[in-house]
Amino acid sequence: MIAAQTVKALVDQWLEGKDYFLTDLRVTPDDCITVEIDHADGVWIDDCVQLSRYIEDHLSRDEEDYELEVGSAGIGQPFKVRRQWDNHVGKPVEVDTADSRRLRGTLTAVTDDGITLSTRQKVQVEGRKRPVWQDVIETLTWDSVRSGRYMLEFK
């Protein structure tokens, strides 16, 4: 079986000096290798091909047969690493919380402690019969965030 650490070391070598970063790496017991990378400006297929070839050049199919899939983290997929959160500051996101809430809004900040969202919510204002729409700032600790993803907006 090919060790995940071996593949990760190869990916890390290829990533050196590039703005890409690793979001996920899996190696199954039957040697199916899946590598996901991301970039602030998106992932180009040519770069996935280059990384795939780099890994293939450094692993021997004679020693161990394997299946290799290299791709991007995927738009609309849950964030897997902190850097994905950092890259989406100022953009619309959807966050599922540990207390089963689903928040949609603009990611305004990412810190070591958690995230801050600006959401649009109906709020009861004193002196008014009906709730009104207002921007509400939600600050969440990492422990209270179950998942998050970039939210595509169609206009």
Side-chain angles (χ1 to χ4, degrees):
M1 184 171 133
I2 297 172
Q5 302 93 308
T6 302
V7 179
K8 184 172 181 335
L10 292 172
V11 172
D12 288 344
Q13 288 171 11
W14 185 85
L15 291 172
E16 258 181 57
K18 296 177 177 69
D19 289 331
Y20 282 98
F21 56 95
L22 181 66
T23 59
D24 196 21
L25 185 140
R26 293 181 304 269
V27 179
T28 64
D30 58 344
D31 288 328
C32 290
I33 303 167
T34 305
V35 178
E36 288 182 5
I37 57 174
D38 206 351
H39 187 284
D41 297 326
V43 176
W44 295 96
I45 188 73
D46 292 342
D47 292 322
C48 291
V49 170
Q50 285 178 16
L51 175 55
S52 180
R53 287 184 180 150
Y54 185 84
I55 294 169
E56 287 176 350
D57 288 347
H58 291 83
L59 294 178
S60 171
R61 288 191 189 272
D62 294 332
E63 292 176 24
E64 194 97 38
D65 193 27
Y66 59 89
E67 179 182 325
L68 176 62
E69 180 181 322
V70 175
S72 68
I75 199 159
Q77 296 297 313
F79 299 148
K80 296 176 182 171
V81 297
R82 159 83 188 263
R83 192 162 167 190
Q84 289 176 295
W85 288 96
D86 293 334
N87 286 342
H88 287 85
V89 171
K91 297 178 182 169
V93 296
E94 181 178 84
V95 177
D96 292 331
T97 65
D99 61 356
S100 300
R101 293 183 300 150
R102 178 165 284 166
L103 302 172
R104 293 179 178 176
T106 301
L107 182 63
T108 58
V110 179
T111 67
D112 289 339
D113 297 324
I115 62 170
T116 304
L117 291 172
S118 175
T119 62
R120 193 102 172 114
Q121 298 177 20
K122 279 190 175 184
V123 177
Q124 186 64 49
V125 177
E126 190 176 326
R128 297 193 112 177
K129 288 185 179 182
R130 296 184 180 185
V132 295
W133 286 101
Q134 287 187 346
D135 289 327
V136 176
I137 300 300
E138 296 266 356
T139 301
L140 303 168
T141 63
W142 288 117
D143 290 341
S144 65
V145 174
R146 192 170 61 213
S147 69
R149 70 195 59 70
Y150 174 68
M151 201 170 64
L152 290 173
E153 291 184 326
F154 299 99
K155 295 181 181 185

